[in-house]
Amino acid sequence: MEQTYEVVIVGGGFAGVAAAKELGHKGVAVLLIDQNNYHQFQPLLYQVSTAQIGITDVTRPLRGIFRRNKRVRVITAIATSVDATARTVTTADGNTYRGRILVLATGAVPNFFNTPGAEENTYPLYSANDATRLGTRLVELLDETDSRPNNGGVNVVVVGGGPTGVETAGALAEMFKYVVPEYFSHSSASKCSVHLVDMVPTVLNTFSEKSQKYARSRLTKMGAKLKLGSGVTEVRDDGVTLADGTVLPSQLVVWAGGLKAGPIIAGSGLPQGRGGRIDTNPDLTAPGFDGVYVLGDAANTTDRTGAKLPQLGSVAQQSGKWAARNIYADLTGGAREPFKYVDKGYMAMVGRGAAVAELGKKHTQLQGPFAFIAWLAVHVVLLSGNRQRIRALFSWFENYLSHTRSHVAPAQAKSG
């Protein structure tokens, strides 16, 4: 059965939600399709896995977001195929949805770069399910270590020196140093370790040298061990091997090594560029396919000057709002305008009270507590919903004053 809407949006992330909100407010009939019934705040998933905040702090029901906007209909379904020419989406239940305008904001999946064993033996951190899975496994390993302390501590390898990898490594190092001794034996905690590895010779490669230096120093001070300049060539269930022959034993490998567009983009017939993403036109449409927009991590987005934009939540959110204006112009006989991105800069947390931030178009640099405050302010604003903001603030206040954790994931009971 085929159903027709003015606009069909696939994906309930930053870009898809922003576009649906804007269009709904303009009275446009929108269908929003996502495989989950919630919107997730991906930049904070590492804090869920390290028990700093709860899963409900970073997820919000999509129907709750749009409950007062009756022009936006939300359905939970897995999109299995897209026909860009016909502007249709088919879901796993066999239904087909056609839009006068089709928006693909399908997000991304981990890019393992064909590394042997990576897909089977690592824990990516790109979805709410990933975060809870990683958090549960971490508690399981700590429980096992605590019951058999002579076996050593928990050794974690984080692959990827970008913001996700740095923030995850910093959170884990801080957890092992301050939090684990509060809940487990001190001897077990002292044997835990975190390695951060990347093929490039520095962390936070897109940041300034000063920010990179601060991040390296802070990570090292917290006990994280950096192994940079040598990529991962194999991942096994007992550790990783690097290109220079180094072997790092590990019971847990976190993959923060990159993203690529999901399989639905690969099968869409749209021309793919770097990372399997679509190189969009300046007005955010797909080249050669009128009425098809591609946003967020599914797109290689440029601004009106042709400069390539990073895969950031702020880019996705702004592009969603801008695409909605162009879509409204399409539907009402107006003219599209090329996307104008407002550069808000970059930031990454590097542990308690420490962060790096390069703010605004001029990338004004901050390191330390002031950058940390800026990081908190920006993430509170970006969180979806007042309840999520209040809960996250309360959790941060509790964690940073006392090193306690109210959200430790329960380890799964084992039979036998």
Side-chain angles (χ1 to χ4, degrees), residues 277-292:
R277 296 179 286 268
I278 309 303
D279 294 325
T280 57
N281 293 320
D283 60 9
L284 303 173
T285 59
F289 291 85
D290 191 47
V292 178

Side-chain angles (χ1 to χ4, degrees), residues 363-388:
H363 288 191
T364 302
Q365 295 183 33
L366 296 174
Q367 290 88 28
F370 289 111
F372 178 72
I373 292 170
W375 183 97
L376 286 176
V378 167
H379 285 74
V380 166
V381 170
L382 288 175
L383 277 167
S384 178
N386 290 327
R387 290 183 181 178
Q388 285 71 20

Side-chain angles (χ1 to χ4, degrees), residues 180-267:
V180 171
E182 296 287 331
Y183 294 90
F184 300 89
S185 70
H186 285 264
S187 61
S188 297
S190 65
K191 297 175 184 176
C192 294
S193 67
V194 181
H195 278 85
L196 177 64
V197 302
D198 201 312
M199 65 183 298
V200 299
T202 188
V203 298
L204 301 178
N205 195 40
T206 59
F207 286 66
S208 68
E209 186 175 341
K210 184 178 180 180
S211 294
Q212 293 171 4
K213 183 178 179 180
Y214 177 87
R216 290 195 303 268
S217 173
R218 182 70 186 181
L219 286 169
T220 302
K221 185 177 180 179
M222 287 191 295
K225 302 172 184 179
L226 308 185
K227 179 63 177 175
L228 305 171
S230 186
V232 175
T233 57
E234 183 185 11
V235 182
R236 302 176 308 282
D237 59 4
D238 62 350
V240 302
T241 301
L242 306 183
D244 63 3
T246 300
V247 175
L248 297 176
S250 175
Q251 301 98 323
L252 186 63
V253 180
V254 181
W255 190 269
L259 296 170
K260 63 180 180 180
I264 194 169
I265 294 294

